[in-house]
Coordinates of all heavy atoms in Angstrom, one line a residue:
N73 N -32.7 52.6 47.3 CA -31.2 52.7 47.3 C -30.7 53.3 46.0 O -31.5 53.4 45.0 CB -30.5 51.4 47.7 CG -30.7 50.3 46.7 OD1 -31.4 50.5 45.7 ND2 -30.1 49.1 47.0
A74 N -29.4 53.6 45.9 CA -28.9 54.2 44.7 C -29.2 53.4 43.5 O -29.5 53.9 42.4 CB -27.4 54.5 44.9
G75 N -29.0 52.1 43.6 CA -29.1 51.2 42.5 C -30.5 51.2 41.9 O -30.7 51.3 40.7
Y76 N -31.5 51.2 42.8 CA -32.9 51.2 42.4 C -33.2 52.5 41.6 O -33.8 52.5 40.5 CB -33.8 51.1 43.6 CG -35.3 50.9 43.3 CD1 -35.8 49.6 43.1 CD2 -36.1 52.0 43.1 CE1 -37.2 49.5 42.7 CE2 -37.4 51.9 42.7 CZ -38.0 50.6 42.6 OH -39.3 50.5 42.2
A77 N -32.8 53.6 42.3 CA -33.1 54.9 41.7 C -32.5 55.0 40.3 O -33.2 55.4 39.3 CB -32.6 56.0 42.6
K78 N -31.3 54.6 40.2 CA -30.5 54.8 39.0 C -31.1 53.9 37.9 O -31.2 54.3 36.7 CB -29.1 54.4 39.2 CG -28.1 54.9 38.2 CD -26.7 54.7 38.6 CE -25.8 54.7 37.4 NZ -25.0 53.5 37.3
T79 N -31.6 52.7 38.2 CA -32.2 51.7 37.3 C -33.3 52.4 36.5 O -33.5 52.2 35.3 CB -32.6 50.5 38.0 OG1 -31.5 49.9 38.6 CG2 -33.2 49.5 37.0
F80 N -34.1 53.2 37.3 CA -35.3 53.8 36.6 C -35.1 55.3 36.2 O -36.0 56.0 36.0 CB -36.5 53.7 37.6 CG -36.8 52.2 37.8 CD1 -36.5 51.6 39.0 CD2 -37.4 51.4 36.8 CE1 -36.7 50.2 39.2 CE2 -37.6 50.1 37.0 CZ -37.3 49.5 38.2
G81 N -33.8 55.7 36.2 CA -33.5 57.0 35.7 C -33.5 58.2 36.7 O -33.7 59.3 36.3
F82 N -33.4 57.8 38.0 CA -33.5 58.9 39.0 C -32.2 58.8 39.8 O -31.4 57.9 39.6 CB -34.7 58.7 39.9 CG -36.0 58.7 39.1 CD1 -36.6 57.6 38.6 CD2 -36.6 60.0 38.9 CE1 -37.8 57.6 37.9 CE2 -37.8 60.0 38.2 CZ -38.4 58.9 37.7
D83 N -32.1 59.8 40.8 CA -31.1 59.6 41.9 C -31.9 59.4 43.2 O -33.1 59.5 43.2 CB -30.1 60.7 41.9 CG -30.7 62.1 42.2 OD1 -31.8 62.1 42.9 OD2 -30.2 63.1 41.6
E84 N -31.1 59.2 44.2 CA -31.7 58.8 45.5 C -32.7 59.9 46.0 O -33.6 59.5 46.7 CB -30.6 58.6 46.6 CG -29.8 57.4 46.3 CD -28.5 57.4 47.1 OE1 -28.5 57.1 48.3 OE2 -27.4 57.7 46.5
Q85 N -32.4 61.1 45.6 CA -33.3 62.2 46.1 C -34.6 62.4 45.2 O -35.7 62.3 45.7 CB -32.6 63.6 46.1 CG -31.4 63.6 47.1 CD -31.8 63.2 48.5 OE1 -32.9 63.7 49.0 NE2 -31.0 62.4 49.2
S86 N -34.3 62.4 43.9 CA -35.4 62.8 43.0 C -36.4 61.7 42.9 O -37.6 61.9 42.5 CB -34.8 63.1 41.6 OG -34.1 62.0 41.1
V87 N -36.1 60.5 43.3 CA -37.0 59.4 43.2 C -38.0 59.4 44.3 O -39.1 58.9 44.2 CB -36.2 58.0 43.2 CG1 -35.8 57.6 44.6 CG2 -37.1 56.9 42.6
L88 N -37.7 60.1 45.4 CA -38.5 60.0 46.6 C -39.8 60.8 46.3 O -39.9 61.8 45.6 CB -37.8 60.7 47.8 CG -36.6 59.8 48.3 CD1 -35.9 60.5 49.4 CD2 -37.0 58.4 48.6
G89 N -41.0 60.2 46.8 CA -42.3 60.9 46.7 C -42.9 60.6 45.4 O -44.1 60.9 45.2
R90 N -42.2 60.0 44.4 CA -42.9 59.7 43.1 C -43.7 58.4 43.2 O -43.4 57.5 44.0 CB -41.8 59.5 42.0 CG -41.1 60.8 41.7 CD -40.1 60.6 40.6 NE -39.2 61.8 40.5 CZ -39.6 62.9 39.8 NH1 -40.7 63.0 39.1 NH2 -38.8 63.9 39.8
T91 N -44.7 58.3 42.4 CA -45.6 57.1 42.4 C -44.9 56.0 41.6 O -44.0 56.2 40.8 CB -46.9 57.4 41.7 OG1 -46.7 57.7 40.3 CG2 -47.7 58.5 42.4
L92 N -45.3 54.8 41.9 CA -44.8 53.6 41.3 C -44.9 53.7 39.8 O -43.9 53.5 39.0 CB -45.6 52.4 41.8 CG -45.2 51.0 41.2 CD1 -43.7 50.7 41.6 CD2 -46.1 49.9 41.7
E93 N -46.0 54.2 39.3 CA -46.2 54.3 37.8 C -45.2 55.3 37.2 O -44.7 55.1 36.2 CB -47.7 54.8 37.5 CG -48.0 54.7 36.1 CD -49.4 55.0 35.7 OE1 -50.2 55.3 36.6 OE2 -49.7 54.9 34.5
E94 N -45.0 56.4 37.9 CA -44.1 57.4 37.4 C -42.7 56.8 37.3 O -41.9 57.1 36.4 CB -44.0 58.6 38.4 CG -45.1 59.6 38.2 CD -45.0 60.7 39.3 OE1 -44.7 60.4 40.5 OE2 -45.2 61.9 39.0
I95 N -42.4 56.0 38.3 CA -41.0 55.5 38.3 C -40.8 54.3 37.3 O -39.8 54.4 36.5 CB -40.6 55.0 39.8 CG1 -40.6 56.2 40.7 CG2 -39.3 54.3 39.8 CD1 -40.5 55.8 42.2
I96 N -41.7 53.4 37.3 CA -41.4 52.2 36.4 C -42.1 52.3 35.1 O -41.9 51.5 34.2 CB -41.7 50.9 37.1 CG1 -43.2 50.7 37.3 CG2 -41.0 50.7 38.4 CD1 -43.6 49.3 37.9
G97 N -42.9 53.3 35.0 CA -43.6 53.5 33.7 C -44.9 52.8 33.6 O -45.1 51.8 34.3
P98 N -45.8 53.3 32.8 CA -47.2 52.8 32.8 C -47.3 51.3 32.4 O -48.0 50.5 33.0 CB -47.9 53.7 31.8 CG -46.9 54.4 31.1 CD -45.6 54.4 31.9
E99 N -46.5 50.9 31.5 CA -46.6 49.6 30.9 C -46.2 48.5 32.0 O -46.9 47.6 32.2 CB -45.7 49.4 29.7 CG -46.1 48.3 28.8 CD -45.1 48.2 27.6 OE1 -44.8 49.3 27.0 OE2 -44.8 47.1 27.2
A100 N -45.0 48.8 32.6 CA -44.6 47.9 33.6 C -45.5 47.9 34.8 O -45.8 46.9 35.4 CB -43.2 48.3 34.1
N101 N -46.0 49.1 35.0 CA -47.0 49.2 36.1 C -48.2 48.3 35.9 O -48.6 47.6 36.9 CB -47.4 50.7 36.3 CG -48.2 50.9 37.5 OD1 -47.8 50.4 38.6 ND2 -49.4 51.5 37.4
R102 N -48.7 48.3 34.7 CA -49.8 47.5 34.4 C -49.5 46.0 34.6 O -50.2 45.2 35.2 CB -50.3 47.7 33.0 CG -51.5 48.5 32.8 CD -52.2 48.4 31.5 NE -51.2 48.5 30.4 CZ -50.8 49.7 29.9 NH1 -51.1 50.9 30.5 NH2 -49.9 49.8 28.9
S103 N -48.3 45.6 34.2 CA -47.9 44.2 34.2 C -47.7 43.7 35.7 O -48.0 42.5 35.9 CB -46.7 43.9 33.4 OG -45.5 44.3 34.1
I104 N -47.4 44.6 36.6 CA -47.2 44.1 38.0 C -48.4 44.4 38.9 O -48.4 44.0 40.0 CB -45.9 44.7 38.6 CG1 -46.1 46.2 38.9 CG2 -44.7 44.5 37.7 CD1 -45.0 46.7 39.8
E105 N -49.4 45.0 38.3 CA -50.6 45.3 39.1 C -51.1 44.1 39.8 O -51.5 44.2 41.0 CB -51.6 45.9 38.2 CG -52.4 47.0 38.9 CD -53.4 47.7 37.9 OE1 -53.0 48.1 36.8 OE2 -54.6 47.7 38.2
P106 N -51.2 43.0 39.2 CA -51.7 41.8 39.9 C -51.0 41.5 41.2 O -51.6 41.1 42.2 CB -51.6 40.6 38.9 CG -51.4 41.3 37.6 CD -50.8 42.6 37.8
Y107 N -49.7 41.7 41.2 CA -48.9 41.3 42.4 C -49.2 42.4 43.5 O -49.2 42.1 44.7 CB -47.4 41.3 42.1 CG -47.2 40.2 41.0 CD1 -46.9 40.6 39.7 CD2 -47.2 38.9 41.3 CE1 -46.7 39.7 38.7 CE2 -47.0 37.9 40.3 CZ -46.7 38.3 39.0 OH -46.5 37.4 38.1
V108 N -49.3 43.6 43.0 CA -49.6 44.7 44.0 C -50.9 44.5 44.7 O -51.0 44.5 45.9 CB -49.5 46.1 43.3 CG1 -49.9 47.2 44.3 CG2 -48.1 46.3 42.7
N109 N -51.9 44.1 43.9 CA -53.2 43.8 44.4 C -53.1 42.6 45.4 O -53.8 42.6 46.4 CB -54.2 43.5 43.3 CG -54.5 44.8 42.4 OD1 -54.2 45.9 42.9 ND2 -54.9 44.6 41.2
Q110 N -52.4 41.7 45.0 CA -52.3 40.5 45.7 C -51.7 40.7 47.1 O -52.3 40.3 48.1 CB -51.3 39.6 45.0 CG -51.4 38.0 45.0 CD -52.8 37.5 45.0 OE1 -53.7 38.0 44.3 NE2 -53.0 36.4 45.7
I111 N -50.7 41.5 47.2 CA -50.0 41.8 48.5 C -51.0 42.6 49.4 O -51.1 42.4 50.6 CB -48.6 42.4 48.4 CG1 -47.9 42.3 49.7 CG2 -48.7 43.8 47.9 CD1 -46.4 42.7 49.7
R112 N -51.7 43.5 48.7 CA -52.6 44.3 49.5 C -53.7 43.5 50.0 O -54.2 43.7 51.2 CB -53.2 45.4 48.5 CG -52.2 46.6 48.4 CD -52.8 47.6 47.4 NE -52.3 48.9 47.6 CZ -52.5 49.9 46.8 NH1 -53.1 49.7 45.6 NH2 -52.0 51.1 47.1
Q113 N -54.2 42.5 49.3 CA -55.3 41.7 49.8 C -54.8 40.6 50.7 O -55.5 40.4 51.8 CB -56.0 41.0 48.6 CG -56.9 41.9 47.8 CD -57.3 41.4 46.4 OE1 -57.2 40.2 46.2 NE2 -57.7 42.3 45.5
T114 N -53.7 40.0 50.4 CA -53.4 38.8 51.2 C -52.3 39.1 52.2 O -52.1 38.3 53.1 CB -52.8 37.7 50.3 OG1 -51.5 38.2 49.7 CG2 -53.7 37.3 49.2
H115 N -51.7 40.3 52.1 CA -50.6 40.6 53.1 C -49.5 39.6 53.0 O -48.7 39.5 53.9 CB -51.1 40.8 54.5 CG -52.0 41.9 54.6 ND1 -52.5 42.3 55.9 CD2 -52.6 42.7 53.7 CE1 -53.3 43.4 55.7 NE2 -53.4 43.6 54.4
K116 N -49.4 38.9 51.9 CA -48.3 37.9 51.8 C -47.3 38.3 50.8 O -47.6 39.0 49.8 CB -48.9 36.5 51.3 CG -49.9 35.9 52.2 CD -49.6 34.4 52.3 CE -50.4 33.7 53.4 NZ -51.7 33.2 52.9
P117 N -46.0 37.9 51.1 CA -44.9 38.3 50.1 C -45.3 37.8 48.7 O -45.9 36.8 48.6 CB -43.7 37.6 50.7 CG -44.1 37.3 52.1 CD -45.5 37.1 52.1
Q118 N -44.9 38.6 47.8 CA -45.1 38.2 46.4 C -43.7 38.1 45.7 O -42.8 38.8 46.0 CB -45.9 39.3 45.7 CG -47.3 39.5 46.3 CD -48.2 38.2 46.1 OE1 -48.3 37.6 45.1 NE2 -48.8 37.8 47.3
R119 N -43.7 37.3 44.7 CA -42.5 37.1 43.9 C -42.8 36.9 42.4 O -43.7 36.2 42.1 CB -41.7 35.9 44.4 CG -40.4 35.7 43.8 CD -39.8 34.3 44.0 NE -38.8 34.1 43.0 CZ -39.0 33.8 41.8 NH1 -40.2 33.5 41.3 NH2 -37.9 33.6 41.0
Y120 N -42.1 37.7 41.6 CA -42.3 37.5 40.2 C -41.1 37.9 39.4 O -40.2 38.5 40.0 CB -43.5 38.3 39.7 CG -43.4 39.8 39.9 CD1 -42.8 40.6 39.0 CD2 -43.9 40.3 41.1 CE1 -42.7 42.0 39.2 CE2 -43.8 41.7 41.4 CZ -43.2 42.5 40.4 OH -43.1 43.8 40.7
E121 N -41.0 37.4 38.2 CA -39.9 37.7 37.3 C -40.4 38.5 36.2 O -41.5 38.3 35.7 CB -39.2 36.4 36.8 CG -38.5 35.7 38.0 CD -38.0 34.3 37.5 OE1 -38.0 34.0 36.3 OE2 -37.6 33.5 38.4
R122 N -39.6 39.5 35.8 CA -40.0 40.2 34.6 C -38.8 40.7 33.8 O -37.7 40.7 34.4 CB -41.0 41.3 34.9 CG -40.4 42.5 35.6 CD -41.4 43.6 35.8 NE -40.9 44.8 36.5 CZ -40.5 45.8 35.8 NH1 -40.4 45.8 34.5 NH2 -40.0 46.9 36.5
Q123 N -39.0 41.2 32.6 CA -37.9 41.7 31.8 C -37.8 43.2 32.0 O -38.8 43.8 32.3 CB -38.1 41.4 30.4 CG -37.7 40.0 30.0 CD -38.0 39.6 28.6 OE1 -39.2 39.6 28.2 NE2 -36.9 39.3 27.8
L124 N -36.6 43.7 32.0 CA -36.4 45.1 32.2 C -35.4 45.6 31.1 O -34.3 45.1 31.0 CB -35.7 45.2 33.6 CG -35.5 46.6 34.1 CD1 -36.8 47.3 34.4 CD2 -34.6 46.6 35.4
P125 N -35.9 46.5 30.4 CA -35.0 47.1 29.3 C -33.9 47.8 30.0 O -34.1 48.5 31.1 CB -35.9 48.0 28.5 CG -37.3 47.9 29.1 CD -37.2 47.3 30.4
S126 N -32.7 47.7 29.4 CA -31.6 48.4 30.0 C -30.6 48.8 28.9 O -30.7 48.2 27.8 CB -30.9 47.6 31.1 OG -29.8 46.9 30.5

Side-chain angles (χ1 to χ4, degrees):
N73 68 357
Y76 186 92
K78 201 169 155 234
T79 299
F80 297 104
F82 300 94
D83 61 31
E84 289 164 78
Q85 296 305 319
S86 60
V87 77
L88 295 178
R90 292 183 191 274
T91 64
L92 181 60
E93 188 174 5
E94 277 175 322
I95 295 170
I96 67 173
E99 202 180 320
N101 189 47
R102 255 197 312 284
S103 77
I104 70 167
E105 216 176 307
Y107 302 104
V108 176
N109 293 340
Q110 210 41 32
I111 193 171
R112 280 176 153 167
Q113 281 163 26
T114 64
H115 294 187
K116 293 225 171 93
Q118 298 297 310
R119 186 195 161 281
Y120 58 89
E121 290 170 12
R122 73 177 180 94
Q123 279 175 297
L124 185 69
S126 96

